[in-house]
Amino acid sequence: MTPDPISLPEEFAGPLGLAQERLGIFAHRVLWYSEVGSTNDLAGTFAEKGADEGLVVLADRQTAGRGRLGRNWASPSGAGIYVSLVLRPSTAAAQLLTIAAGVAVTDGIAAATGLSTHVKWPNDVHVSGRKLAGILAEGAVGHVVLGIGINVQPAAYPPDVSARATSIEAELGRAVDRGLVLAECLVALAARYRALRENRVASIVDAWRMRAAPMLGRRIEWEAAGEHHTGVAENIDDDGSLIVKVGARTLRIRSGEVRWL
Ligand code: BTN
């Protein structure tokens, strides 16, 4: 059984209403929950039942928020943005979706708050080496659920990860409007997704490269087939894979995780 949505609080309804004409495919249906397990799970259930592309599932709090690679995503009430979107991209568009989403989240945060952030491959959003937002794309036959978690307040993440995590308010030293951040991220994502569907891939890859500039040309490490590797992150390819130089060799990493040294 799926929980019943409740009416969208003014904190979100106001900014989303004002952005209505720029929200593109996300303008039609926003479902709000005060508490869910994971917005990605709920959006996946709706997608399987035939929900239209562009459905937005938003929660104040998640009790089982999920991150990439099976990790937990802390999701306390009021401290972050926890949102999942139902998309139905072509196979080609799906390949670059997380890259486009990373770019859109940096665009949206900058438009709403003025804070400049970077992307870290494949799609984490960072400021000064600390993670501020993450993206979890989960595909099934006929749809992709794109989940976005943004730390708005420092309370969004547990104190034991504070050396590696940050929030918009911690960076700016002032309170920000959570609804405006969500609205501007959805506006940016609608525009980047339109570009993907129209095969304007270069605009997305170029935007990603600009936002990843502080991370490129630096040494990274990763694990593959149980072995530890190091190299220099050079760029991303047009299919979104990370291009890494290892001595004289050039490798492409398609998925997984790398750490910047
Ligand atoms: C990451 O590990 O960087 C991805 C984090 C994604 C978290 C978001 S919060 C909304 C959506 N629901 C989830 O359970 N996860 C994603």
Side-chain angles (χ1 to χ4, degrees):
M1 230 178 62
T2 52
D4 284 331
I6 52 177
S7 69
L8 193 60
E10 184 51 32
E11 177 189 8
F12 291 102
L16 287 170
L18 289 172
Q20 181 77 11
E21 287 181 2
R22 298 184 295 132
L23 283 170
I25 59 164
F26 304 120
H28 306 295
R29 207 160 167 230
V30 180
L31 301 180
W32 163 259
Y33 299 84
S34 55
E35 179 182 303
V36 297
S38 157
T39 54
N40 262 36
D41 289 344
L42 197 51
T45 303
F46 290 129
E48 264 150 33
K49 289 184 178 162
D52 286 338
E53 180 168 67
L55 174 69
V56 179
V57 177
L58 181 64
D60 186 48
R61 166 172 190 257
Q62 298 184 114
T63 54
R66 278 184 287 112
R68 288 178 69 236
L69 309 172
R71 295 186 185 127
N72 172 54
W73 185 264
S75 313
S77 170
I81 293 171
Y82 319 114
V83 65
S84 298
L85 313 166
V86 172
L87 297 172
R88 300 191 183 278
S90 66
T91 311
Q95 208 175 29
L96 276 179
L97 188 58
T98 55
I99 295 286
V103 170
V105 171
T106 66
D107 288 345
I109 291 171
T113 70
L115 179 67
S116 174
T117 57
H118 308 298
V119 286
K120 173 180 169 277
W121 185 88
N123 49 27
D124 287 352
V125 174
H126 276 231
V127 185
S128 338
R130 291 181 173 165
K131 181 159 167 170
L132 183 131
I135 293 159
L136 178 67
E138 297 182 305
V141 178
H143 72 263
V144 173
V145 171
L146 187 70
I148 301 172
I150 303 174
N151 299 334
V152 176
Q153 299 174 358
Y157 44 86
D160 60 309
V161 300
S162 61
R164 286 176 282 124
T166 189
S167 67
I168 300 176
E169 294 195 355
E171 293 300 319
L172 291 173
R174 63 172 171 86
V176 299
D177 182 337
R178 204 165 53 136
L180 186 60
V181 174
L182 174 71
E184 291 300 334
C185 286
L186 293 182
V187 165
L189 192 57
R192 297 286 178 191
Y193 187 59
R194 196 177 325 117
L196 256 192
R197 288 204 298 198
E198 292 168 2
N199 210 22
R200 287 183 280 121
V201 166
S203 67
I204 292 164
V205 175
D206 288 350
W208 191 94
R209 287 178 183 137
M210 278 173 59
R211 286 158 186 74
M215 310 267 180
L216 298 178
R218 285 177 42 195
R219 288 197 74 71
I220 58 168
E221 62 176 1
W222 71 98
E223 261 65 55
E227 286 189 24
H228 180 256
H229 302 267
T230 60
V232 174
E234 297 240 296
N235 212 332
I236 57 162
D237 221 342
D238 287 350
D239 67 355
S241 34
L242 186 67
I243 303 173
V244 184
K245 201 94 179 153
V246 181
R249 282 185 310 141
T250 300
L251 305 181
R252 280 169 177 71
I253 304 179
R254 291 190 198 291
S255 61
E257 187 170 62
V258 300
R259 286 175 299 281
W260 263 253
L261 297 171

